[in-house]
Amino acid sequence: QKTAIDVLPPSAAPPPDLVVDLPGTKCPVCGTALAGKVLKCASCRTLHHRECWEFNGRCATYACGSLSASQPG
């Protein structure tokens, strides 16, 4: 069962920043390596740069489109 800590609705404050360096893993929005501040889609668990998630406003994975993100981990 998920709690408010695991999944945040779109209107809630974003989760705390997690800084990572994942060479070889690419952001689905910008296509560059995942490094720096990232968020995880609460539905499909795809990682995104925090700035890319905020720019796109939702998950960029085809057929997902979730509006909720959580901190990876």
Side-chain angles (χ1 to χ4, degrees):
Q1 179 176 340
K2 295 181 180 181
T3 66
I5 293 173
D6 299 322
V7 179
L8 296 173
S11 60
D17 290 331
L18 179 69
V19 178
V20 299
D21 185 10
L22 300 170
T25 305
K26 295 182 179 183
C27 173
V29 176
C30 69
T32 63
L34 281 168
K37 300 174 185 176
V38 299
L39 294 175
K40 174 179 68 176
C41 173
S43 180
C44 72
R45 307 174 74 88
T46 299
L47 296 174
H48 297 66
H49 291 118
R50 181 184 187 96
E51 289 181 0
C52 291
W53 181 281
E54 291 171 354
F55 172 79
N56 200 47
R58 64 183 63 232
C59 179
T61 300
Y62 180 76
C64 180
S66 174
L67 300 173
S68 297
S70 62
Q71 181 178 359

